[in-house]
Amino acid sequence: MKLPKFLLGDNTDFPDDIFIIHTDYPQFIINLVNDEIEWLEDVTGENQEELTNEINDLIEQASSFYDREMERYAE
């Protein structure tokens, strides 16, 4: 099965949170409300500068994905 790069996550126990699941490497869940990240795989040993740049880019992509999805819901 081919998964999309990002998925929206929702949970009634956390009604104010906005979760985006990143399915590619490095897999993680980000809460867009506070930018808290839960890693689903080990990313230790990676080049820290490169990893930081990649994470910043992925956070921006996740935010853009969410904005795009919300625009589509509003249509």
Side-chain angles (χ1 to χ4, degrees):
M1 168 185 353
K2 180 154 174 63
L3 295 174
K5 184 174 184 174
F6 294 104
L7 298 169
L8 283 171
D10 188 23
N11 188 302
T12 57
D13 292 333
F14 303 93
D16 297 328
D17 293 328
I18 301 167
F19 298 106
I20 304 294
I21 300 103
H22 181 250
T23 62
D24 289 345
Y25 181 82
Q27 294 179 333
F28 61 86
I29 300 171
I30 183 171
N31 183 341
L32 291 181
V33 172
N34 58 14
D35 289 339
E36 185 176 340
I37 297 176
E38 180 69 32
W39 297 101
L40 302 176
E41 27 189 17
D42 183 18
V43 292
T44 58
E46 300 284 333
N47 177 311
Q48 290 302 311
E49 182 177 343
E50 184 178 313
L51 183 61
T52 299
N53 292 336
E54 183 176 350
I55 290 167
N56 289 335
D57 185 46
L58 289 171
I59 290 170
E60 288 179 27
Q61 288 179 39
S63 182
S64 295
F65 164 76
Y66 175 76
D67 292 341
R68 185 193 77 188
E69 291 298 298
M70 291 302 101
E71 286 176 13
R72 290 179 178 176
Y73 280 121
E75 293 178 350

Coordinates of all heavy atoms in Angstrom, one line a residue:
M1 N 0.8 -1.2 0.0 CA 0.0 0.0 0.0 C 0.9 1.2 0.0 O 1.9 1.3 0.7 CB -0.9 0.0 1.3 CG -1.6 1.3 1.5 SD -2.6 1.5 3.0 CE -2.6 0.0 3.8
K2 N 0.5 2.2 -0.8 CA 1.3 3.5 -0.9 C 0.5 4.5 0.0 O -0.6 4.7 -0.2 CB 1.3 4.0 -2.3 CG 2.1 5.3 -2.4 CD 2.7 5.5 -3.8 CE 3.3 6.8 -3.9 NZ 4.4 7.1 -3.1
L3 N 1.2 5.0 1.0 CA 0.7 6.0 1.9 C 1.0 7.4 1.5 O 2.1 7.6 1.0 CB 1.2 5.7 3.3 CG 0.8 4.4 4.0 CD1 1.6 4.3 5.4 CD2 -0.7 4.4 4.2
P4 N 0.1 8.3 1.8 CA 0.5 9.7 1.5 C 1.6 10.1 2.5 O 1.8 9.5 3.5 CB -0.8 10.5 1.8 CG -1.8 9.6 2.4 CD -1.2 8.2 2.3
K5 N 2.4 11.2 2.1 CA 3.5 11.6 3.0 C 3.0 12.1 4.3 O 3.6 11.9 5.3 CB 4.2 12.7 2.2 CG 5.5 13.2 2.9 CD 6.2 14.2 2.1 CE 7.5 14.6 2.7 NZ 8.3 15.4 1.9
F6 N 1.8 12.8 4.3 CA 1.2 13.3 5.6 C -0.2 12.9 5.7 O -0.9 12.7 4.8 CB 1.3 14.9 5.6 CG 2.6 15.5 5.6 CD1 3.2 16.0 4.4 CD2 3.3 15.5 6.8 CE1 4.4 16.6 4.5 CE2 4.6 16.1 6.8 CZ 5.1 16.7 5.6
L7 N -0.6 12.7 7.0 CA -2.0 12.3 7.3 C -2.4 13.2 8.5 O -1.6 13.5 9.4 CB -2.0 10.8 7.8 CG -1.7 9.8 6.8 CD1 -1.5 8.4 7.5 CD2 -2.7 9.7 5.7
L8 N -3.7 13.6 8.5 CA -4.3 14.3 9.6 C -4.6 13.3 10.7 O -5.2 12.2 10.4 CB -5.5 15.0 9.2 CG -5.4 16.3 8.4 CD1 -6.7 16.8 7.9 CD2 -4.8 17.4 9.3
G9 N -4.4 13.6 11.9 CA -4.8 12.8 13.1 C -5.7 13.6 14.0 O -5.5 14.7 14.3
D10 N -6.8 12.9 14.5 CA -7.7 13.5 15.3 C -8.0 12.6 16.5 O -8.0 11.4 16.3 CB -9.0 13.8 14.5 CG -10.0 14.6 15.3 OD1 -9.6 15.4 16.2 OD2 -11.2 14.6 14.9
N11 N -8.3 13.2 17.7 CA -8.6 12.4 18.8 C -9.5 13.2 19.8 O -9.1 14.3 20.1 CB -7.3 11.9 19.5 CG -7.6 10.9 20.6 OD1 -8.3 11.2 21.6 ND2 -7.0 9.8 20.5
T12 N -10.6 12.7 20.1 CA -11.5 13.5 21.0 C -11.0 13.7 22.4 O -11.5 14.6 23.1 CB -12.9 12.8 21.1 OG1 -12.8 11.5 21.6 CG2 -13.6 12.8 19.7
D13 N -10.0 12.9 22.8 CA -9.4 13.2 24.1 C -8.5 14.4 24.1 O -8.1 14.9 25.1 CB -8.5 12.0 24.5 CG -9.4 10.7 24.8 OD1 -10.6 10.9 25.2 OD2 -8.8 9.6 24.7
F14 N -8.1 14.9 22.9 CA -7.3 16.1 22.7 C -8.0 17.0 21.7 O -7.5 17.2 20.6 CB -5.9 15.7 22.2 CG -5.2 14.7 23.1 CD1 -5.3 13.4 22.9 CD2 -4.4 15.2 24.1 CE1 -4.6 12.5 23.7 CE2 -3.8 14.3 25.0 CZ -3.9 12.9 24.8
P15 N -9.1 17.6 22.1 CA -10.0 18.3 21.1 C -9.3 19.6 20.6 O -9.7 20.0 19.5 CB -11.2 18.7 21.9 CG -10.8 18.7 23.3 CD -9.7 17.6 23.4
D16 N -8.3 20.2 21.2 CA -7.7 21.4 20.8 C -6.4 21.2 20.0 O -5.8 22.1 19.5 CB -7.4 22.3 22.0 CG -8.7 22.8 22.7 OD1 -9.7 22.9 22.0 OD2 -8.6 22.9 23.9
D17 N -6.0 19.9 19.9 CA -4.7 19.6 19.2 C -4.9 19.3 17.8 O -6.0 18.8 17.4 CB -4.0 18.5 19.9 CG -3.6 18.8 21.3 OD1 -3.2 20.0 21.6 OD2 -3.6 17.9 22.2
I18 N -3.9 19.6 17.0 CA -3.9 19.3 15.6 C -2.7 18.4 15.3 O -1.6 18.8 15.3 CB -3.8 20.6 14.7 CG1 -5.0 21.5 15.1 CG2 -3.8 20.2 13.2 CD1 -4.8 22.9 14.5
F19 N -3.0 17.1 15.0 CA -1.9 16.1 14.8 C -1.7 15.9 13.3 O -2.6 15.7 12.5 CB -2.2 14.8 15.4 CG -2.3 14.9 16.9 CD1 -3.5 14.8 17.6 CD2 -1.2 15.1 17.7 CE1 -3.6 14.9 18.9 CE2 -1.3 15.2 19.1 CZ -2.5 15.1 19.7
I20 N -0.4 15.9 12.8 CA -0.1 15.6 11.5 C 0.9 14.4 11.6 O 1.9 14.5 12.4 CB 0.6 16.7 10.7 CG1 -0.3 17.9 10.7 CG2 1.0 16.3 9.3 CD1 -1.6 17.8 9.9
I21 N 0.7 13.3 10.9 CA 1.6 12.1 10.9 C 2.4 12.1 9.7 O 1.8 12.2 8.5 CB 0.7 10.8 11.0 CG1 -0.1 10.8 12.3 CG2 1.6 9.6 11.0 CD1 -1.5 11.1 12.1
H22 N 3.7 12.1 9.8 CA 4.6 12.0 8.7 C 5.0 10.6 8.5 O 5.5 9.9 9.4 CB 5.9 12.9 8.9 CG 6.8 12.9 7.8 ND1 8.0 12.2 7.9 CD2 6.8 13.4 6.6 CE1 8.7 12.4 6.8 NE2 7.9 13.1 6.0
T23 N 4.6 10.0 7.3 CA 4.8 8.6 7.1 C 6.1 8.2 6.4 O 6.5 7.0 6.4 CB 3.7 8.0 6.2 OG1 3.7 8.7 4.9 CG2 2.3 8.3 6.8
D24 N 6.9 9.2 5.9 CA 8.2 8.9 5.3 C 9.3 9.0 6.4 O 9.0 9.4 7.5 CB 8.5 9.9 4.2 CG 7.7 9.7 3.0 OD1 7.1 8.6 2.8 OD2 7.7 10.6 2.1
Y25 N 10.5 8.6 6.1 CA 11.6 8.7 7.0 C 12.0 10.2 7.2 O 12.0 10.9 6.2 CB 12.8 8.0 6.5 CG 14.0 8.1 7.5 CD1 14.0 7.3 8.6 CD2 15.0 9.0 7.3 CE1 15.0 7.4 9.6 CE2 16.0 9.1 8.2 CZ 16.0 8.3 9.3 OH 17.0 8.4 10.3
P26 N 12.1 10.7 8.3 CA 11.9 10.0 9.6 C 10.5 10.2 10.0 O 9.9 11.3 10.0 CB 12.8 10.9 10.6 CG 12.9 12.2 10.0 CD 12.7 12.0 8.5
Q27 N 9.9 9.1 10.4 CA 8.5 9.0 10.8 C 8.3 9.7 12.1 O 9.0 9.5 13.1 CB 7.9 7.6 10.8 CG 7.9 6.9 9.5 CD 7.4 5.5 9.6 OE1 7.5 4.9 10.6 NE2 6.8 5.0 8.5
F28 N 7.2 10.6 12.2 CA 6.9 11.3 13.4 C 5.5 11.8 13.4 O 4.8 11.8 12.4 CB 7.9 12.5 13.6 CG 7.8 13.5 12.5 CD1 6.8 14.5 12.6 CD2 8.7 13.5 11.5 CE1 6.8 15.5 11.6 CE2 8.6 14.5 10.5 CZ 7.7 15.5 10.6
I29 N 5.0 12.2 14.6 CA 3.7 12.9 14.7 C 4.1 14.2 15.3 O 4.8 14.3 16.3 CB 2.8 12.1 15.7 CG1 2.5 10.7 15.1 CG2 1.5 12.9 15.8 CD1 1.8 9.8 16.1
I30 N 3.5 15.3 14.7 CA 3.7 16.6 15.2 C 2.3 17.2 15.6 O 1.3 17.0 14.9 CB 4.4 17.5 14.1 CG1 4.6 18.9 14.7 CG2 3.6 17.6 12.8 CD1 5.5 19.8 13.8
N31 N 2.4 17.9 16.7 CA 1.2 18.6 17.1 C 1.4 20.0 16.7 O 2.3 20.7 17.2 CB 1.1 18.5 18.7 CG -0.2 19.2 19.2 OD1 -0.8 20.0 18.5 ND2 -0.6 18.9 20.4
L32 N 0.6 20.5 15.7 CA 0.8 21.8 15.1 C 0.5 22.9 16.1 O 0.9 24.1 15.9 CB 0.0 22.0 13.8 CG 0.5 21.2 12.7 CD1 -0.4 21.5 11.4 CD2 2.0 21.4 12.3
V33 N -0.2 22.6 17.2 CA -0.6 23.7 18.1 C 0.7 24.2 18.9 O 0.8 25.3 19.1 CB -1.6 23.1 19.1 CG1 -1.9 24.1 20.3 CG2 -3.0 22.9 18.4
N34 N 1.6 23.2 19.2 CA 2.8 23.6 20.0 C 4.1 23.1 19.3 O 5.1 23.3 19.9 CB 2.7 23.1 21.4 CG 2.5 21.6 21.5 OD1 2.7 20.9 20.5 ND2 2.1 21.1 22.6
D35 N 4.0 22.6 18.1 CA 5.2 22.0 17.4 C 5.9 20.9 18.2 O 7.1 20.6 17.9 CB 6.2 23.1 17.0 CG 5.6 24.0 15.9 OD1 4.7 23.6 15.2 OD2 6.1 25.2 15.8
E36 N 5.2 20.3 19.1 CA 5.8 19.1 19.8 C 5.9 17.9 18.8 O 4.9 17.6 18.1 CB 5.0 18.8 21.0 CG 5.6 17.7 21.9 CD 4.8 17.5 23.2 OE1 4.0 18.3 23.6 OE2 5.0 16.4 23.7
I37 N 7.0 17.2 18.8 CA 7.2 16.1 17.9 C 7.4 14.8 18.7 O 8.2 14.8 19.6 CB 8.4 16.3 17.0 CG1 8.1 17.5 16.1 CG2 8.7 15.1 16.1 CD1 9.3 17.9 15.2
E38 N 6.7 13.8 18.3 CA 6.9 12.4 18.8 C 7.5 11.6 17.7 O 6.9 11.4 16.7 CB 5.6 11.8 19.3 CG 5.7 10.4 19.9 CD 6.4 10.4 21.2 OE1 6.3 11.4 22.0 OE2 7.0 9.4 21.5
W39 N 8.7 11.2 17.9 CA 9.4 10.4 16.9 C 9.0 8.9 16.9 O 8.9 8.3 18.0 CB 10.9 10.4 17.1 CG 11.4 11.8 16.9 CD1 11.8 12.7 17.9 CD2 11.6 12.5 15.7 NE1 12.1 13.9 17.4 CE2 12.1 13.8 16.1 CE3 11.5 12.2 14.4 CZ2 12.4 14.8 15.1 CZ3 11.8 13.2 13.4 CH2 12.2 14.4 13.8
L40 N 8.7 8.4 15.8 CA 8.3 7.0 15.7 C 9.5 6.1 15.3 O 9.3 4.9 15.2 CB 7.2 6.8 14.6 CG 5.9 7.7 14.9 CD1 4.9 7.6 13.8 CD2 5.3 7.3 16.3
E41 N 10.6 6.7 15.0 CA 11.8 5.9 14.7 C 13.0 6.6 15.3 O 13.0 7.8 15.6 CB 12.0 5.6 13.3 CG 11.4 6.5 12.3 CD 11.5 6.0 10.9 OE1 11.8 4.8 10.6 OE2 11.4 6.8 10.0
D42 N 14.1 5.9 15.5 CA 15.3 6.4 16.1 C 16.1 7.3 15.0 O 16.4 6.8 14.0 CB 16.2 5.3 16.6 CG 17.4 5.7 17.3 OD1 17.5 6.9 17.7 OD2 18.3 4.9 17.4
V43 N 16.3 8.5 15.4 CA 17.1 9.4 14.5 C 18.4 9.8 15.1 O 19.1 10.7 14.6 CB 16.3 10.6 14.1 CG1 15.1 10.3 13.2 CG2 15.8 11.4 15.3
T44 N 18.8 9.1 16.1 CA 20.2 9.4 16.7 C 21.3 8.9 15.8 O 21.1 8.0 15.0 CB 20.3 8.7 18.1 OG1 20.1 7.3 17.9 CG2 19.3 9.2 19.1
G45 N 22.4 9.6 15.9 CA 23.5 9.2 15.0 C 23.5 9.9 13.7 O 24.4 9.8 12.9
E46 N 22.4 10.6 13.4 CA 22.3 11.4 12.2 C 23.2 12.7 12.4 O 23.4 13.1 13.5 CB 20.9 11.8 11.9 CG 19.9 10.6 11.7 CD 20.0 10.0 10.4 OE1 20.5 10.6 9.4 OE2 19.7 8.8 10.3
N47 N 23.5 13.3 11.2 CA 24.2 14.6 11.2 C 23.2 15.6 11.8 O 22.2 15.9 11.2 CB 24.6 14.9 9.8 CG 25.3 16.3 9.7 OD1 24.8 17.3 10.2 ND2 26.4 16.3 9.0
Q48 N 23.6 16.2 13.0 CA 22.6 17.0 13.7 C 22.2 18.3 12.9 O 21.1 18.7 12.9 CB 23.2 17.4 15.0 CG 23.3 16.3 16.0 CD 21.9 15.7 16.3 OE1 20.9 16.4 16.5 NE2 21.8 14.4 16.2
E49 N 23.2 18.9 12.2 CA 22.8 20.1 11.4 C 21.9 19.8 10.3 O 20.9 20.4 10.0 CB 24.1 20.8 10.9 CG 23.8 22.0 10.1 CD 25.1 22.7 9.7 OE1 26.2 22.4 10.2 OE2 25.0 23.6 8.8
E50 N 22.2 18.7 9.6 CA 21.4 18.2 8.5 C 20.0 17.8 9.0 O 19.0 18.2 8.4 CB 22.1 17.0 7.8 CG 21.3 16.5 6.6 CD 22.1 15.4 5.9 OE1 23.3 15.5 5.7 OE2 21.4 14.4 5.6
L51 N 20.0 17.1 10.1 CA 18.7 16.7 10.7 C 17.8 17.9 11.1 O 16.6 17.9 10.8 CB 18.9 15.8 11.9 CG 17.7 15.2 12.5 CD1 16.9 14.3 11.5 CD2 18.1 14.4 13.7
T52 N 18.5 18.9 11.7 CA 17.7 20.1 12.1 C 17.1 20.8 10.9 O 16.0 21.2 10.9 CB 18.7 21.0 12.9 OG1 19.2 20.4 14.0 CG2 18.0 22.3 13.3
N53 N 17.9 20.9 9.8 CA 17.4 21.5 8.6 C 16.2 20.8 8.0 O 15.2 21.3 7.6 CB 18.5 21.7 7.6 CG 19.5 22.7 8.0 OD1 19.3 23.6 8.8 ND2 20.7 22.6 7.4
E54 N 16.4 19.4 8.0 CA 15.3 18.6 7.5 C 14.1 18.7 8.3 O 12.9 18.8 7.8 CB 15.8 17.1 7.4 CG 14.8 16.2 6.8 CD 15.3 14.8 6.6 OE1 16.5 14.5 6.8 OE2 14.5 13.9 6.3
I55 N 14.2 18.7 9.6 CA 13.1 18.8 10.5 C 12.3 20.1 10.3 O 11.1 20.1 10.2 CB 13.5 18.6 12.0 CG1 13.9 17.2 12.3 CG2 12.4 19.0 13.0 CD1 14.6 17.0 13.6
N56 N 13.1 21.2 10.3 CA 12.5 22.5 10.0 C 11.7 22.5 8.7 O 10.6 23.0 8.7 CB 13.5 23.6 10.0 CG 14.1 23.9 11.4 OD1 13.4 23.6 12.4 ND2 15.3 24.4 11.5
D57 N 12.2 21.9 7.7 CA 11.6 21.8 6.4 C 10.3 21.0 6.5 O 9.2 21.3 6.0 CB 12.5 21.3 5.3 CG 11.9 21.3 4.0 OD1 11.3 22.3 3.6 OD2 12.0 20.2 3.3
L58 N 10.4 19.9 7.2 CA 9.2 19.0 7.4 C 8.1 19.6 8.2 O 6.9 19.4 7.9 CB 9.6 17.6 8.0 CG 10.5 16.7 7.1 CD1 11.0 15.5 7.9 CD2 9.6 16.3 5.9
I59 N 8.5 20.4 9.2 CA 7.5 21.2 10.0 C 6.7 22.1 9.1 O 5.5 22.3 9.1 CB 8.1 21.9 11.2 CG1 8.6 20.8 12.2 CG2 7.2 22.9 11.8 CD1 9.4 21.4 13.3
E60 N 7.5 22.8 8.2 CA 6.8 23.8 7.3 C 5.9 23.0 6.3 O 4.8 23.5 6.0 CB 7.9 24.6 6.5 CG 8.6 25.6 7.4 CD 9.7 26.3 6.6 OE1 9.6 26.5 5.3 OE2 10.6 26.8 7.2
Q61 N 6.4 21.9 5.8 CA 5.6 21.1 4.9 C 4.3 20.6 5.6 O 3.2 20.6 5.0 CB 6.4 19.9 4.4 CG 7.4 20.2 3.4 CD 8.2 19.0 2.9 OE1 7.6 17.9 2.7 NE2 9.5 19.1 2.8
A62 N 4.4 20.1 6.8 CA 3.3 19.7 7.6 C 2.3 20.8 7.8 O 1.0 20.6 7.6 CB 3.7 19.1 9.0
S63 N 2.7 22.0 8.1 CA 1.9 23.1 8.3 C 1.2 23.5 7.0 O 0.0 23.8 6.9 CB 2.7 24.3 8.8 OG 1.8 25.4 9.0
S64 N 1.9 23.5 5.9 CA 1.3 23.7 4.5 C 0.3 22.7 4.2 O -0.8 23.0 3.6 CB 2.4 23.8 3.5 OG 3.3 24.9 3.7
F65 N 0.6 21.4 4.5 CA -0.4 20.3 4.2 C -1.7 20.6 5.0 O -2.7 20.5 4.4 CB 0.3 19.0 4.7 CG -0.8 17.9 4.8 CD1 -1.3 17.3 3.7 CD2 -1.2 17.5 6.0 CE1 -2.2 16.3 3.8 CE2 -2.1 16.5 6.2 CZ -2.7 15.9 5.1
Y66 N -1.6 21.0 6.2 CA -2.7 21.2 7.1 C -3.5 22.4 6.5 O -4.8 22.3 6.3 CB -2.4 21.5 8.5 CG -3.5 21.9 9.3 CD1 -4.4 21.0 9.8 CD2 -3.8 23.3 9.7 CE1 -5.5 21.3 10.5 CE2 -4.9 23.6 10.4 CZ -5.8 22.6 10.8 OH -6.9 23.0 11.6
D67 N -2.9 23.5 6.1 CA -3.6 24.6 5.5 C -4.3 24.2 4.2 O -5.4 24.6 4.0 CB -2.6 25.8 5.2 CG -2.0 26.4 6.5 OD1 -2.6 26.2 7.6 OD2 -0.9 27.1 6.4
R68 N -3.6 23.5 3.4 CA -4.2 23.0 2.2 C -5.5 22.2 2.4 O -6.5 22.3 1.8 CB -3.2 22.2 1.3 CG -3.7 21.8 0.0 CD -2.8 20.8 -0.7 NE -3.1 19.5 -0.1 CZ -2.4 18.4 -0.2 NH1 -1.4 18.5 -1.0 NH2 -2.7 17.3 0.3
E69 N -5.3 21.2 3.4 CA -6.5 20.4 3.7 C -7.7 21.2 4.2 O -8.8 20.9 3.9 CB -6.1 19.3 4.7 CG -5.1 18.3 4.2 CD -5.7 17.5 3.0 OE1 -6.7 16.7 3.3 OE2 -5.2 17.6 1.9
M70 N -7.4 22.2 5.1 CA -8.5 23.0 5.6 C -9.2 23.8 4.5 O -10.4 24.0 4.5 CB -8.0 23.9 6.7 CG -7.5 23.1 8.0 SD -8.9 22.1 8.7 CE -8.5 20.5 8.1
E71 N -8.4 24.3 3.6 CA -9.0 25.0 2.4 C -9.9 24.1 1.6 O -11.0 24.5 1.2 CB -7.9 25.6 1.5 CG -7.1 26.8 2.1 CD -6.0 27.2 1.2 OE1 -5.9 26.8 0.0 OE2 -5.2 28.0 1.7
R72 N -9.5 22.8 1.5 CA -10.3 21.9 0.7 C -11.6 21.5 1.5 O -12.6 21.3 0.8 CB -9.5 20.6 0.4 CG -8.4 20.9 -0.6 CD -7.6 19.7 -0.9 NE -6.6 19.9 -1.9 CZ -5.7 19.0 -2.3 NH1 -5.7 17.8 -1.8 NH2 -4.9 19.3 -3.3
Y73 N -11.5 21.4 2.8 CA -12.7 21.2 3.6 C -13.7 22.3 3.5 O -14.9 22.1 3.5 CB -12.4 20.9 5.0 CG -11.9 19.6 5.4 CD1 -10.6 19.4 5.9 CD2 -12.6 18.4 5.1 CE1 -10.1 18.1 6.2 CE2 -12.2 17.2 5.4 CZ -10.9 17.0 5.9 OH -10.4 15.8 6.2
A74 N -13.2 23.5 3.3 CA -14.1 24.7 3.3 C -14.8 24.9 2.0 O -15.8 25.6 1.9 CB -13.3 26.0 3.6
E75 N -14.3 24.2 0.9 CA -14.9 24.3 -0.4 C -16.3 23.7 -0.5 O -16.7 22.8 0.1 CB -14.0 23.7 -1.5 CG -12.7 24.5 -1.6 CD -11.8 23.9 -2.6 OE1 -12.0 22.8 -3.1 OE2 -10.8 24.6 -2.9

